[in-house]
Amino acid sequence: IVRSKKHRTFGGAAERSEAERVLFRMGDPAQEGPGALLLGGCKELLRGCLDKNYIDTTSFDVLQPAIDYYLENGDPTEKLRTYYYQGRIFQNKKDRDNALNSFIKGIDVSNGSDDSLYIARTLVAQAAQYSEFYDFDSYTNCHLRASKIYKRLSRKWNEFDCLLNALNGSIALNNQAKGDSILALCNEFKNLDSIQNLTLNEYKLSHALKFGNNQDIENLIKNQEDNSNLDTNGLLNLALAYNKVGKDVKAVHLLGSINNGHEYDTLKYLAVSVPVLENIGDYKNALSVYKTFSHKMDSINTFRFDQKSKSIEEKHQIELQAEQDAREKTNSVEDYMEKYPSLVFVLDV
């Protein structure tokens, strides 16, 4: 997955004040009990938001009592934000399963919330977890949903980031129709800065490599011949582009530079290397690399199947719990009517 160079969590000064309002609104300093407990934890989170632009705590020690309180007693917006911060902390702990479950539950309880910004942020965070599990359908759909919310909020650069990631997902899914429509939306954005323009060109090259012809690829190569600003993924895309148009010597040179001290996506590096090695006649190494690639893909496919089964079971449990909660609320109303029939009669009149 290509990641936008302008990844945003809370953004600039305008969003910092929003973070402060959100965190302190969820805990009233004038109150005792869970609200006060949350306030103490919120100060720690707030410090991270303001100083580092992200939440970096990995501990629930201070927040857990307050999290329990708001998930039990909070309104839809409070529950949404609580699940969002809970998921972020799980992310920091490298606990992918619980992070994803927190974000899923956040979206599930967001009906009735008017905090569109946090719904969008939760969808983006959820998408990031789906990419960890190679679930590119869900990854793409979450980014598309978030992009529509950001558009309604007139946050065009957040919308742009989400569309780029959705484009990337459609390429991974080999869905040309969706990829074409998303790319058309990306091309409508004007006044891109140098980094945004570079990132968009990388995505265009990825799209052309999957769905375009050699002429499309040649045209996009010209925009990236000076590759000094490309990240590792961009270099791998450029190496594959050289291979597609028969310039394998240049492809070999790029692969050599990537394999020389750079951090890179091993799977993609192997996938690009196989056709390059074949084209230069190094069949022995091409076969060796292909076997390594196939073994890793088998492992990933097994992991994806296991995770999909687990996610389905988790979603089923969430739905069962929601049904149980609804039944309990219904029973509570019926019990009340039985205990206080005269009051119910008065209300009916």
Side-chain angles (χ1 to χ4, degrees), residues 29 69 118 216 239 257-258 275 318 325:
Y69 176 82
Y118 265 78
D216 295 329
S257 67
I258 293 170
I318 293 171
D325 291 345

Side-chain angles (χ1 to χ4, degrees), residues 272-286:
V272 174
S273 296
V274 172
V276 173
L277 291 170
E278 282 184 326
N279 280 11
I280 64 175
D282 190 351
Y283 300 111
K284 181 179 179 180
N285 280 326

